[in-house]
Amino acid sequence: MSSSQASNSKAPTTRTRTPRPAPAEPATPFLPDLCSSQSVFLLVLVAELLAVLLTISASSGLQHFNWDKLALISVQVQWIVVFSAVALCRLRFWLGRQNHVRAGVVSYALVLAITLVLCVAGQWIIYGASGMAFVGDQEFSFDGWLLLNNMVIAAILSGILLRYLYLQQQLRNQQQAEMQARIQALQSRIRPHFLFNSMNSIASLIATDPDTAERVVEDLSELFRASLAEPTLIPLGRELELCKHYLDIEQLRLGRRLQLDWQISSCNPAIKIPSLMMQPLVENAIFHGIEPLPKGGKITVKVSQNDKQLSIVITNPYLLVKKNNHQSDASARHNRMALDNIRRRLTAHFGTAARLSSSAENGVFTTYIFCPLTL
């Protein structure tokens, strides 16, 4: 080949995409989140009940109940509980990366160390504030028996409480692992017929339009990367992007038979929804709605949000088949399985705060999804 011929030959342009970094795997926490508002409230309540119990024990019954002593004990117990909760909260993920024996020993020793420091500081502040830091010419010495008494009580109660918190968090970790496995099993996968159709489209475009063939390969790789990823919540903007990748591929195959109407209002693209939630619904709309119709039809995707929830509405026409002088939906049975799948995934992520429903009227199938606003 001559140099002039080589210069005139056009090489297909390439599109480079920066690979998306894989998200780092979070460590499994060893203890519950003790810094949440609900946990702090419960810890303060339990600490105050413990202070009342210790005051009753030290006062030899309710008939000799001492309110001043309750105030002193309450302040000391509350400080020990709050400082211990903050320290354990900061270390919960580091403790989760250690073996359970080491994490338990560190947690237990940390609570006892905080108790020792605050008890010593409490005695010093109480006697110093009352002018009793020095007795005569001798410096005040700490009450060792009182300190030992406090440490024994802290050792017993903290051991019981840490054991309870550990078991509670392990149960929660197990439930989350089971939920993730259930979502993984429920997560929709791209159907084989779509893969075969995409490969046929790529094969037919390689010789005539290599640029478009390359674009289809990139769109297909994006879809399969998302399909094989771990099930999680992803931004709304990312999910819409995946839907557009899928529809770009199907548009090449169906041509004018497939019409699209995107009605995206001013939604926050960072709102989190389950990955591959919309794409299977759009795929069903094409497979059960557009393909059986000789003239095709239009798919409408409407996304909006208000102060409380995100709304997604997908509509498509479907083929009405006359049977015994009645019109029936030929795709309703197939659609029901996919809708049940996505409904279970929504429940696994959001509980009763999300819902999915559908309707089929006058040859138009409509799917409604309502999700809470999660960022």
Side-chain angles (χ1 to χ4, degrees):
M1 181 183 293
S2 64
S3 60
S4 60
Q5 290 175 332
S7 61
N8 292 332
S9 60
K10 294 183 179 181
T13 59
T14 59
R15 295 192 304 170
T16 59
R17 293 186 180 182
T18 304
R20 299 178 182 272
E25 178 115 4
T28 302
F30 180 72
L31 295 173
D33 183 9
L34 301 178
C35 293
S36 65
S37 57
Q38 183 180 5
S39 298
V40 171
F41 173 77
L42 292 176
L43 287 173
V44 170
L45 179 60
V46 171
E48 192 61 32
L49 293 176
L50 176 60
V52 173
L53 181 63
L54 292 175
T55 304
I56 294 175
S57 177
S59 303
S60 302
L62 289 174
Q63 65 272 24
H64 303 294
F65 190 83
N66 190 326
W67 290 98
D68 293 336
K69 185 173 294 186
L70 172 63
L72 293 175
I73 295 177
S74 178
V75 169
Q76 194 170 26
V77 171
Q78 292 287 1
W79 277 109
I80 292 174
V81 169
V82 170
F83 272 89
S84 299
V86 171
L88 293 175
C89 179
R90 295 302 182 110
L91 295 176
R92 60 194 294 257
F93 288 104
W94 179 84
L95 293 171
R97 291 190 290 268
Q98 315 303 316
N99 64 72
H100 288 187
V101 175
R102 181 179 180 183
V105 170
V106 171
S107 303
Y108 192 57
L110 180 63
V111 174
L112 293 182
I114 291 174
T115 303
L116 177 61
V117 171
L118 291 180
C119 285
V120 171
Q123 285 195 40
W124 175 263
I125 292 173
I126 292 172
Y127 285 99
S130 60
M132 297 176 60
F134 294 91
V135 179
D137 296 333
Q138 296 182 352
E139 185 177 355
F140 166 76
S141 60
F142 290 101
D143 188 343
W145 285 107
L146 177 60
L147 186 63
L148 180 60
N149 180 62
N150 292 339
M151 292 302 298
V152 171
I153 294 175
I156 296 174
L157 295 179
S158 62
I160 296 174
L161 184 59
L162 286 174
R163 178 63 177 175
Y164 167 75
L165 293 175
Y166 165 75
L167 294 177
Q168 184 186 50
Q169 184 60 39
Q170 294 308 305
L171 177 61
R172 185 175 301 173
N173 293 341
Q174 182 180 357
Q175 291 174 343
Q176 290 180 350
E178 291 175 353
M179 186 190 71
Q180 286 296 105
R182 184 155 52 95
I183 296 175
Q184 179 73 48
L186 291 171
Q187 177 150 338
S188 300
R189 301 299 183 187
I190 298 175
R191 291 189 177 92
H193 84 276
F194 167 67
L195 174 61
F196 299 147
N197 291 335
S198 301
M199 290 302 179
N200 290 334
S201 299
I202 294 171
S204 63
L205 288 170
I206 288 177
T208 59
D209 193 349
D211 292 344
T212 304
E214 181 183 5
R215 177 172 59 82
V216 174
V217 171
E218 292 177 349
D219 291 337
L220 190 61
S221 67
E222 287 289 329
L223 286 170
F224 273 94
R225 183 181 294 112
S227 178
L228 297 174
E230 289 296 322
T232 184
L233 297 176
I234 64 173
L236 172 64
R238 173 61 176 162
E239 181 68 14
L240 291 174
E241 181 184 348
L242 292 174
C243 285
K244 291 178 180 178
H245 285 314
Y246 170 77
L247 290 171
D248 286 344
I249 297 174
E250 291 288 45
Q251 188 78 68
L252 290 174
R253 184 172 63 89
L254 297 174
R256 295 181 179 179
R257 293 180 60 206
L258 174 59
Q259 303 170 32
L260 301 173
D261 182 14
W262 294 92
Q263 299 180 15
I264 311 298
S265 63
S266 56
C267 297
N268 185 354
I271 295 175
K272 297 294 184 67
I273 63 175
S275 61
L276 287 182
M277 181 185 70
M278 295 176 60
Q279 186 273 333
L281 295 176
V282 175
E283 186 174 352
N284 280 337
I286 292 178
F287 186 66
H288 300 298
I290 304 301
E291 285 189 355
L293 295 171
K295 295 183 179 181
K298 180 170 67 174
I299 296 178
T300 302
V301 180
K302 182 178 180 180
V303 182
S304 60
Q305 78 172 84
N306 54 30
D307 295 336
K308 296 182 179 180
Q309 65 182 7
L310 175 72
S311 171
I312 301 173
V313 181
I314 300 175
T315 62
N316 64 273
Y318 63 89
L319 181 64
L320 290 173
V321 180
K322 283 193 174 183
K323 184 177 181 181
N324 298 328
N325 296 326
H326 294 285
Q327 290 183 333
S328 62
D329 178 10
S331 65
R333 178 172 55 86
H334 304 285
N335 274 334
R336 192 176 300 115
M337 295 179 59
L339 293 176
D340 289 342
N341 185 306
I342 297 175
R343 184 179 291 108
R344 290 171 184 170
R345 293 173 58 202
L346 285 171
T347 302
H349 281 291
F350 301 115
T352 58
R355 64 185 188 276
L356 181 149
S357 60
S358 61
S359 64
E361 297 180 357
N362 301 323
V364 177
F365 190 87
T366 307
T367 304
Y368 305 90
I369 299 178
F370 302 97
C371 298
L373 300 182
T374 305
L375 297 176

